[in-house]
Amino acid sequence: MRKLPPLNALKAFEAAARHVSFTKAAAELHVTHGAVSRQVLLLEDWLGVTLFQRGASQVGLTSSGRAYAQEVTSLLDRLTVVTAQVMEKAAPAAISVSAPPTFTMRWLIPRLSTYQRKRPGIEVRLTTSIAPVHFQENNYDIAIRGALEPMTGCDSVPFMTETIVPICHADFVESGGLRSPEDLARHTLIRYSTEPYAWSTWFDAAGIPEIAGAGTLHFEQMFFALQAAAEGLGVVLVPLFLVADDIVAGKLCAPFGLHGAMLRHYYANTSPASTHNAVIADFRAWLIEEGRGTEQAINIWAQETLKQVTPSARRRRRK
């Protein structure tokens, strides 16, 4: 049988030796100063060796204490590593993802089946939020957010370009009522509180005077504003990737193509502490792959749309 010292006494000694302080060791172990002192005395009695020199106001390691502490710290560090490895293998792999609500519903969830087919053993836990990213305060591994530039304080990797343009029901164009930006004067402009791109900014980017529209509808969330547009209630500014499937199906339309488009990026943000986590890195790589596919589909659509724009319409849009 192995002749092992009392493990609680060993932990107390290692902490006290590392800090060269019983008080700091007590704070780390969440016990009293007296408890650390008693455990160290217990270890010294068990070993038959003095490990600390005790003064009136401070303590110091003896030569035997320093040598012993070096070995004990190394052994405890190794024990911590192998214990974490065993627990990681025993526990089911999971990843927690925080993303904006509309992005989650219209882009992420429809594509999750492809990830699950590739990684059937990984559990994906989704929460929705547009709040600032704080890994210390929130329990998620990846925070997906749309932004103009990478976020500070984390590893921020862009995985998809967000192209924001006016979107409306296909009937608006097919009926001939929405052929140029000036025609917006006869339509309701839909707004929402979380919009990253205001109508005034779009008109400015499109190079035309701001148009009030025939009316205004205002919603709190993008999802409701987009649903209103899908019901034919007006025109809304939303990212193309959220409506790509509906445009292909002929339900929705981007009547002015990429005219006046605003470009942002969607970023997969992770804590620097999770840099070497294989599951997180794999999910982020999957996001990049899916984002690239979405961008390619939008580029193909944009090229086809450009071919269909007549020379007269192009001249109107430049004015």
Side-chain angles (χ1 to χ4, degrees):
M1 292 182 63
R2 293 184 178 89
K3 189 176 182 181
L4 297 175
L7 293 183
N8 284 338
L10 206 61
K11 286 172 57 180
F13 162 71
E14 192 276 336
R18 185 158 29 84
H19 292 293
V20 196
S21 167
F22 287 6
T23 301
K24 292 181 179 179
E28 177 183 315
L29 299 174
H30 303 290
V31 296
T32 65
H33 179 285
V36 171
S37 179
R38 287 191 295 272
Q39 289 295 332
V40 171
L41 281 173
L42 176 63
L43 182 61
E44 288 177 325
D45 289 342
W46 192 90
L47 293 170
V49 174
T50 300
L51 300 172
F52 279 96
Q53 295 174 337
R54 295 163 175 80
S57 58
Q58 62 182 5
V59 296
L61 287 163
T62 64
S63 58
S64 296
R66 279 192 297 272
Y68 193 52
Q70 184 176 355
E71 295 296 332
V72 170
T73 296
S74 177
L75 289 170
L76 290 180
D77 286 344
R78 178 59 183 161
L79 182 60
T80 299
V81 170
V82 297
T83 300
Q85 290 173 344
V86 170
M87 292 176 66
E88 184 175 342
K89 291 179 180 179
I95 183 169
S96 298
V97 181
S98 168
T102 308
F103 170 88
T104 300
M105 288 185 285
R106 294 189 65 95
W107 190 88
L108 184 56
I109 290 177
R111 288 164 175 78
L112 268 183
S113 60
T114 62
Y115 177 78
Q116 291 177 327
R117 284 194 296 270
K118 291 181 177 180
R119 301 289 184 267
I122 307 298
E123 178 187 352
V124 181
R125 301 168 182 169
L126 294 178
T127 57
T128 59
S129 176
I130 58 172
V133 176
H134 294 294
F135 287 99
Q136 296 82 0
E137 300 175 8
N138 299 281
N139 187 28
Y140 45 63
D141 302 305
I142 293 182
I144 297 173
R145 297 290 187 273
L148 292 173
E149 57 187 18
M151 299 184 183
T152 58
C154 57
D155 291 334
S156 193
V157 176
F159 66 90
M160 184 168 56
T161 301
E162 179 186 55
T163 306
I164 304 174
V165 294
I167 298 294
C168 65
H169 196 283
D171 287 350
F172 284 16
V173 176
E174 292 175 0
S175 63
L178 190 58
R179 294 294 186 181
S180 71
E182 289 78 6
D183 294 331
L184 288 169
R186 301 194 299 272
H187 294 277
T188 297
L189 302 184
I190 301 174
R191 307 172 189 269
Y192 50 98
S193 299
T194 58
E195 63 186 4
Y197 197 30
W199 274 107
S200 59
T201 311
W202 183 84
F203 283 118
D204 185 61
I208 60 176
E210 184 172 354
I211 296 171
T216 299
L217 276 177
H218 194 284
F219 297 90
E220 182 180 2
Q221 297 290 338
M222 181 195 298
F223 176 78
F224 300 109
L226 181 54
Q227 186 63 33
E231 297 296 334
L233 298 180
V235 188
V236 66
L237 286 166
V238 294
L240 266 175
F241 71 81
L242 294 179
V243 296
D245 294 340
D246 288 331
I247 288 177
V248 172
K251 297 178 181 178
L252 293 176
C253 178
F256 316 124
L258 301 182
H259 194 52
M262 173 189 177
L263 300 181
R264 299 195 312 172
H265 286 95
Y266 262 69
Y267 291 88
N269 304 287
T270 58
S271 168
S274 64
T275 301
H276 302 294
N277 186 300
V279 175
I280 294 176
D282 182 69
F283 190 87
R284 190 162 62 182
W286 173 77
L287 285 173
I288 293 172
E289 180 182 353
E290 290 294 324
R292 187 181 299 117
T294 298
E295 288 182 345
Q296 290 174 349
I298 289 175
N299 289 336
I300 292 172
W301 167 84
Q303 292 170 7
E304 292 299 320
T305 301
L306 186 60
K307 292 177 183 177
Q308 297 170 10
V309 176
T310 64
S312 60
R314 289 180 188 174
R315 285 194 294 272
R316 285 200 306 270
R317 292 179 182 183
R318 291 195 188 103
K319 293 179 180 180

